[in-house]
Amino acid sequence: MCRWVAYAGPEIYLEDILFNQDHSIVNQSLSAHESVWTTNGDGFGVAWYTQRTTAGLFKDVLPAWNDSNLRSLAAHIRTKLFFAHVRATTGTTVSRSNCHPFIWKNWTFMHNGQIGNWNGCRKLYESHISEEFYHCREGTTDSEAIFLVALSLGLQHNPQQAIQQALSLAVDAMAKTDAHEPLRASLAVTDGKEIWAFRYSSDDRSPSLYFGAPHTRASEHFPNEFNTIASEPSDHQAEHWHKVDEGTCVHWTRERMNFYPIELGQRFV
Amino acid sequence: MCRWVAYAGPEIYLEDILFNQDHSIVNQSLSAHESVWTTNGDGFGVAWYTQRTTAGLFKDVLPAWNDSNLRSLAAHIRTKLFFAHVRATTGTTVSRSNCHPFIWKNWTFMHNGQIGNWNGCRKLYESHISEEFYHCREGTTDSEAIFLVALSLGLQHNPQQAIQQALSLAVDAMAKTDAHEPLRASLAVTDGKEIWAFRYSSDDRSPSLYFGAPHTRASEHFPNEFNTIASEPSDHQAEHWHKVDEGTCVHWTRERMNFYPIELGQRFV
Amino acid sequence: MCRWVAYAGPEIYLEDILFNQDHSIVNQSLSAHESVWTTNGDGFGVAWYTQRTTAGLFKDVLPAWNDSNLRSLAAHIRTKLFFAHVRATTGTTVSRSNCHPFIWKNWTFMHNGQIGNWNGCRKLYESHISEEFYHCREGTTDSEAIFLVALSLGLQHNPQQAIQQALSLAVDAMAKTDAHEPLRASLAVTDGKEIWAFRYSSDDRSPSLYFGAPHTRASEHFPNEFNTIASEPSDHQAEHWHKVDEGTCVHWTRERMNFYPIELGQRFV
Amino acid sequence: MCRWVAYAGPEIYLEDILFNQDHSIVNQSLSAHESVWTTNGDGFGVAWYTQRTTAGLFKDVLPAWNDSNLRSLAAHIRTKLFFAHVRATTGTTVSRSNCHPFIWKNWTFMHNGQIGNWNGCRKLYESHISEEFYHCREGTTDSEAIFLVALSLGLQHNPQQAIQQALSLAVDAMAKTDAHEPLRASLAVTDGKEIWAFRYSSDDRSPSLYFGAPHTRASEHFPNEFNTIASEPSDHQAEHWHKVDEGTCVHWTRERMNFYPIELGQRFV
């Protein structure tokens, strides 16, 4: 089902979060605690922001736990904001194109979950991707489709609304194609400055999601500051990890974190 | 732009055609003679028929010329009918899902060419893929889309007509989206028993296509029998190779080869 | 620590053993029961015999559990004798060259275990590979080194003795370099007709090893015939699986299975 | 036969040299001008220095020309000194472990060429790798062996002498094993601050080597400053490229470039 982590805070090396934590995301690739799939070995990806507009992107189909490139890159790349993801496919092919995160211009997106009955509602759901973004589709996952539908709905102007509408369209598509599986989503999107994370499911059994303040080499100067949103805590110090509630959107900015209920009620199609 | 070869004849090892020819398809991956792209190193694929209904399928993103798996498999797999393809991408991602051949049940398809303005007309063209086949889409190439549109149009009942209609819909989609690039196609499709190969382009500059009777370890018993349709001759003996004309469909059966003009004139949409 | 399976019996499809068992080797790649490493996702390999002298060989660095090529090849390749292996590296690089099985002419070898202090005794141990076989070294594993040392010691004339001597030289090299880790080996070698499997460790904690008679589509005609030697039983029917004892060499021929104690006592260097 | 480029100068993005040149190294991977092998598609590698001691290292077995990771990393990684290499294997396996550059602590090494009769003299030559460095061997190339032999001979104290001795030992090993092929080497080594490049062959037909001052976004402030040593000029402005003579060692420091004749005459074994 995938595991992911988003970091925003003082500049660190990727390895500070990806590797140098007791229960790091790379460790979770081999042995996740709070996922139906223990093993998340069907590829991985990292997107990190530098001085350029578009995030750097590194994805591969190998498991994260023994990838020599990931190990070295994580020890050399410094950044103030990055997304990382380890994948366990729910059916679609293992390929770089299906690995998260997905990027468009300065936007980055990743997801843990599924659109129910994806095979059955895919054609309908992809029809919501506008001409402008349709050619950006590189893979076949429901996740990338949610991103492209959200972009089509104005993600870059109102990310919170666009993601909610994209999820709402997914629920609609599932209903119209008699899906018997739920929609489940713990997802995150960023413009390189702020982060919006969503925990939502149609059956109130969303994938786990936390925010926290794990120690890094930068954190001595900024203790207790929340810098991480993640599928699972990356260490065992319960005091600096907090569960994101079901049906909640977390909006992280440099100044504060806000929490909003996710409302898909108002259908708009 | 890709190169491909289709074989149908007495049982041989894959290597008889893939490697043991002066100008084999693997040799063409490194150094094609009649292609705009000399190098076809963006992955490869082979589909071969055995006693099972669906063809065996082996694809990888590495260049064919030094792939240790391909070398060994070609020396051990015996078959009476197979398709092989080496890829030079015209823009879409290098991934297994974008490598040819593509298969569905007992059908196999491969293509060398392009739909003009693919980025612009992709949404329109993919809308012609029926619900039944839409979830089979594993990659993002125009080639796989032609196959799935043809399947949606009844390929399994009338392959010649379905492919022509799929090409016709491509020309339509290009026209509706103001494509400035041509449609070009040298493609082949089989049900495991017969082969239909098409050479067509909207600007009369189709990729090269030949049929021939290259020597294999089986050919002493069946000399001069046409057993190969290919982008390029695999040896330099001009007497057993013949060019397929522009705008022609070649229909190979065990008994004979028939040639039909391709007529896209009658639009049907 | 790896898991492996060797099959010799009536001709079957690879998938009959690799996939179509409750606890198949591919299933073990994701979730082994009797191994220190639950996950064996650092590549895989299969070597199978056909009419040719040298075995066919297919290896890749991806996990076996979601490899599309392995799935299709296993459904199309028929054989009377094959070796298959899923890897969990104990330190050496993830690469095709380090995946098992290893082949030389008509011989095939695979291993689950380790030479203790491999980094420290590697130079000494590799010096036992003769000039004739030294250039065959394609990777850096202790496993491949055992195979090449055994070949240097006359594997093709007396496999049982050569493997024992190769293991004995490993124990010697470990002793000379003050290894604190044990030698552990559950390994198999074949000439394409007979199989020799060894379960041995310097601390009496060898990796698990069984022989058995799992059901395949061929087994209705040959019920109860032992056709499999494997790290773990591939089904849960205890009555047709038997543990190989510590310090035992199993010699499988078409007529019978013989069991010999492994004696490394007589040092010969 | 491979192509490579070493850069040392004002901080730039990797892409300034790897991609944004008329005849960049990535372009050379598809179509080299001065190499026996036009295509260098058997993998690639980049090692770059940051604030850390050991260089960052990114290698893959795919061709450089269409690798999405390389494209993105090159656009985001900034460095003052890096080595990049595209490979055309002369026989050894295509694997990450066989891709250049090779690193050890703060040292980085890459090579274009061959030790003659490598299969025949490999055992003898590898015996010159000391215990200390033997376990660092990750692949099977003659190139990596030269690096490890040079490290064994004190590369970190006197690189110029150690490389010459390592080449001299190669010539000796070739002589003792009746090699009929020459030694050929255009190689470079760095400690992250200075660069030593060598152009030498036993038959005076060394692979091409140049130093130059290609334009980058940094070069407006430092025009005409030599910042690049490379197999081939990366643009067509002859005035800022100079051939390195046969049998020459180029020593680049921030202040100057020195040129020394390579003398292997004094044998020392």
Side-chain angles (χ1 to χ4, degrees), chain C residues 122-123 126 129 134 137, chain D residues 123 126 129 134 137:
Chain C
R122 179 173 156 194
K123 185 174 182 181
E126 291 187 356
I129 304 173
Y134 200 86
R137 183 107 163 102
Chain D
K123 184 172 183 182
E126 292 187 354
I129 304 173
Y134 200 86
R137 183 107 164 103

Side-chain angles (χ1 to χ4, degrees), chain A:
Chain A
M1 270 300 234
C2 314
R3 301 279 83 183
W4 58 254
V5 58
Y7 172 87
E11 188 172 85
I12 57 173
Y13 286 103
L14 289 177
E15 68 175 8
D16 295 334
I17 293 290
L18 299 191
F19 287 89
N20 301 341
Q21 301 277 323
D22 283 349
H23 187 57
S24 69
I25 184 89
V26 170
N27 181 286
Q28 291 166 40
S29 74
L30 195 55
S31 179
H33 291 340
E34 306 191 28
S35 172
V36 187
W37 274 262
T38 303
T39 311
N40 295 275
D42 299 323
F44 65 86
V46 193
W48 68 98
Y49 287 86
T50 63
Q51 291 146 303
R52 308 208 105 170
T53 308
T54 299
L57 187 62
F58 174 60
K59 299 178 174 187
D60 216 340
V61 292
L62 295 164
W65 62 76
N66 264 331
D67 187 71
S68 52
N69 286 326
L70 180 63
R71 194 65 202 79
S72 185
L73 289 164
H76 283 272
I77 290 174
R78 296 166 62 90
T79 179
K80 294 178 179 174
L81 196 160
F82 73 87
F83 279 17
H85 188 278
V86 294
R87 185 168 182 243
T89 176
T90 50
T92 47
T93 311
V94 177
S95 71
R96 279 194 198 170
S97 303
N98 283 347
C99 287
H100 310 220
F102 304 99
I103 65 175
W104 181 80
K105 291 193 176 171
N106 63 315
W107 290 85
T108 297
F109 173 94
M110 63 186 168
H111 172 236
N112 161 213
Q114 61 170 30
I115 294 179
N117 186 31
W118 178 236
N119 277 351
C121 71
R122 180 173 155 196
K123 184 173 183 182
L124 174 55
Y125 193 65
E126 291 187 355
S127 73
H128 297 305
I129 304 173
S130 70
E131 280 288 348
E132 185 185 354
F133 294 101
Y134 200 87
H135 75 275
C136 302
R137 184 107 164 104
E138 292 199 349
T140 57
T141 58
D142 46 2
S143 306
E144 187 194 24
I146 295 172
F147 182 41
L148 295 176
V149 168
L151 280 165
S152 303
L153 292 166
L155 178 77
Q156 58 275 53
H157 306 301
N158 189 337
Q160 196 171 332
Q161 186 183 40
I163 293 286
Q164 291 191 185
Q165 289 182 352
L167 294 177
S168 192
L169 282 173
V171 173
D172 282 341
M174 287 163 50
K176 282 177 183 148
T177 59
D178 298 320
H180 294 294
E181 303 162 316
L183 170 78
R184 293 212 183 122
S186 284
L187 65 83
V189 65
T190 181
D191 61 354
K193 291 175 187 146
E194 309 178 20
I195 298 173
W196 295 262
F198 300 76
R199 184 167 186 240
Y200 178 81
S201 59
S202 62
D203 64 350
D204 280 337
R205 299 178 61 183
S206 305
S208 59
L209 194 63
Y210 294 81
F211 63 95
H215 297 308
T216 68
R217 72 187 84 187
S219 60
E220 57 194 76
H221 306 299
F222 307 88
N224 309 320
E225 207 164 86
F226 293 118
N227 52 38
T228 298
I229 305 173
S231 301
E232 304 191 5
S234 58
D235 61 46
H236 303 96
Q237 294 175 257
E239 69 276 13
H240 59 220
W241 290 101
H242 302 270
K243 220 169 206 166
V244 175
D245 289 335
E246 284 272 359
T248 301
C249 166
V250 183
H251 180 203
W252 181 98
T253 68
R254 208 160 302 168
E255 293 76 31
R256 69 179 61 80
M257 290 178 85
N258 286 319
F259 300 84
Y260 304 93
I262 296 175
E263 284 161 23
L264 303 193
Q266 71 290 23
R267 294 296 152 79
F268 48 89
V269 278

